[in-house]
Amino acid sequence: MSREPDADLSGAAVLPGTLSDSLRTELITFRRDLHMHPELGNQEFRTTAALKARLEAAGLHPRVLDSGTGLMCDVGTWDGVRPMLAIRADIDALPIPDTKTGVPYRSTVPDRAHACGHDVHTTTVLGAGLVLAELDRQGLLPNAVRLIFQPAEEVLPGGAADAIESGVLTGVGRIIAVHCDPRVDAGRIGLRAGAITSACDRLEVTLDGPGGHTARPHLTTDLVTAAAKIVTEVPAVLSRRVDARAGLAVTWGRIESGHACNVIPQHAELSGTVRCLDLHAWREAPDLVHAAIDEVATLHRAKSQINYVRGVPPVVNDPVMTDLLRDAQAARRGMDAIEDTEQSLGGEDFSWYLEHVPGAMARLGVRPPGSGARLDLHRGDFDVDEEAIRVGVELFTAAALLDGHRS
């Protein structure tokens, strides 16, 4: 039978579920092992096996997801009545080389790196699960908690949809997560109610025309010019068709056409991303982008074919769940360890869970305090202050306890 948290002499709640030094050391070792063996989306077999083995060693019963990687695991026994809190981690790495120097845990896999902190996310959720399992054995866990270790976050439209299809939200009423933030000092978290990330879609455009000699462009479809105009004019057209506050932005990452300086090519390709801060505008974005590209291409007599690949909507933090994370961090480290954060233009498939249940994502500080380091995500030299693992574990355990006593 669960008990309410004890109180200290001031009357404030004293939450159990802090991280022991021995488990902290183990989790750092676990994180470094993941970091040395990064796996891409839907290929995380070693990572899944390592998680499954450790959870089973703690007496838990994880289930591998239907996709063959990733898993879910309940801590405590769900009573079938009170919805559970879910804690989610993403487990995949990026297809870039690890360029760090001077650390023993550099990636051992060529052109693969945990350069977005998913190894930290995974380790904090694992650690929270192990701590909560011990609290459950002591009768101190007020409600069952589900751990979700999700594959393929970096693969549009993200592995969250497949995880949901596997049933990870069955019995779940709310969900929380963290994402590493190298702009925030370790020991602190960043919070924001409402949209905290951007929507992100992928855009691929092909242009075709008869081509010809550069001496006679008036007799051809000048695809190089048409492609250049699409690059520059489509964002301008969209800026006059969408409320500027929606932050709808098309940014091109690749343009390719032609093989000789005196030949107007017959084919051109462009690709980029569409990002949007506003959920309503994101839902309208495909039609708007299609129309803008078609108009510019037609003006230059180019035949266009557009492949608009839906990615992820914005992560929109529920205010109540944001307050739960705020209260959890305050209980562990005080209000001074919390800062307001801005909405990012990065995409995150945690948003798909929020289409089904309320939830919130916090930004987990990973910058060494006082270092002034400016490392960014998705860079080969990305690394973290490993004190962030303790902070993440204790944030999650406090949130689980507070949520269980309130539900």
Side-chain angles (χ1 to χ4, degrees):
M1 183 174 180
S2 65
R3 303 199 305 265
E4 294 291 326
D6 297 327
D8 64 17
L9 295 179
S10 69
V14 178
L15 288 174
T18 54
L19 189 63
S20 68
D21 288 341
S22 60
L23 184 53
R24 174 183 178 274
T25 299
E26 179 191 345
L27 291 175
I28 289 175
T29 300
F30 190 91
R31 177 257 167 175
R32 292 184 177 188
D33 179 71
L34 294 185
H35 202 86
M36 293 173 66
H37 301 93
E39 297 173 301
L40 299 184
N42 295 316
Q43 301 173 25
E44 311 95 333
F45 296 103
R46 184 184 186 277
T47 302
T48 298
L51 288 165
K52 185 173 183 290
R54 185 60 185 91
L55 292 166
E56 288 177 340
L60 299 171
H61 305 283
R63 176 174 75 82
V64 176
L65 302 185
D66 295 344
S67 61
T69 63
L71 45 82
M72 57 184 282
C73 182
D74 291 350
V75 182
T77 302
W78 182 43
D79 61 14
V81 178
R82 292 184 298 169
M84 288 179 283
L85 173 73
I87 309 175
R88 174 267 197 175
D90 38 12
I91 66 174
D92 56 324
L94 285 162
I96 63 175
D98 189 334
T99 61
K100 289 189 296 297
T101 59
V103 297
Y105 48 85
R106 181 176 173 176
S107 172
T108 61
V109 184
D111 299 320
R112 302 288 186 268
H114 268 296
C116 199
H118 293 189
D119 53 335
V120 175
H121 306 166
T122 300
T123 303
T124 59
V125 175
L126 172 64
L130 297 176
V131 173
L132 292 173
E134 178 59 32
L135 293 180
D136 185 51
R137 284 188 284 271
Q138 298 173 27
L140 295 176
L141 185 62
N143 194 20
V145 175
R146 174 161 297 161
L147 314 177
I148 301 173
F149 298 93
Q150 177 214 301
E153 190 276 331
E154 297 287 355
V155 182
L156 286 179
D162 290 336
I164 293 168
E165 187 70 21
S166 288
V168 299
L169 292 183
T170 301
V172 168
R174 51 216 165 270
I175 189 168
I176 55 176
V178 296
H179 198 295
C180 290
D181 192 335
R183 302 166 302 170
V184 178
D185 284 352
R188 302 173 60 82
I189 65 169
L191 289 175
R192 177 186 176 91
I196 193 172
T197 70
S198 167
C200 181
D201 299 333
R202 188 171 76 244
L203 182 61
E204 299 168 345
V205 181
T206 60
L207 301 175
D208 289 289
H213 201 295
T214 56
R216 292 175 287 278
H218 59 291
L219 300 179
T220 72
T221 295
D222 187 350
L223 287 188
V224 173
T225 297
K229 290 294 186 180
I230 287 173
V231 167
T232 58
E233 293 183 9
V234 165
V237 169
L238 291 171
S239 72
R240 294 300 180 265
R241 297 184 182 176
V242 181
D243 189 327
R245 292 170 294 183
L248 180 64
V250 175
T251 305
W252 303 99
R254 184 180 73 93
I255 179 170
E256 185 174 343
S257 185
H259 301 282
C261 66
N262 62 344
V263 177
I264 294 175
Q266 296 177 298
H267 184 76
E269 296 180 359
L270 305 88
S271 59
T273 59
V274 181
R275 298 182 186 270
C276 188
L277 300 176
D278 177 76
L279 185 59
H280 177 72
W282 175 74
R283 299 194 192 283
E284 297 182 338
D287 290 341
L288 292 168
V289 171
H290 268 82
I293 292 172
D294 284 341
E295 289 176 19
V296 176
T298 298
L299 182 63
H300 294 275
R301 299 183 297 173
K303 181 180 179 181
S304 62
Q305 185 173 347
I306 302 164
N307 182 28
Y308 193 109
V309 182
R310 266 305 196 195
V312 294
V315 172
V316 181
N317 280 349
D318 177 76
V320 173
M321 296 304 295
T322 305
D323 285 343
L324 174 65
L325 290 172
R326 189 182 308 277
D327 292 345
Q329 179 73 349
R332 293 301 192 202
R333 287 172 173 75
M335 290 296 293
D336 289 344
I338 305 167
E339 60 186 66
D340 294 332
T341 192
E342 62 188 13
Q343 184 178 4
S344 165
L345 278 168
E348 230 293 347
D349 77 351
F350 183 70
S351 54
W352 290 123
Y353 299 103
L354 306 187
E355 298 280 298
H356 299 269
V357 296
M361 170 174 279
R363 301 207 178 281
L364 179 66
V366 296
R367 180 176 62 190
S371 70
R374 294 185 175 274
L375 292 182
D376 200 1
L377 303 170
H378 288 220
R379 279 178 38 167
D381 58 354
F382 175 75
D383 204 356
V384 304
D385 184 327
E386 291 173 319
E387 177 61 18
I389 295 172
R390 180 193 295 276
V391 177
V393 169
E394 295 183 351
L395 173 72
F396 285 143
T397 58
L401 293 169
L402 292 174
D403 176 78
H405 286 297
R406 295 172 184 178
S407 62

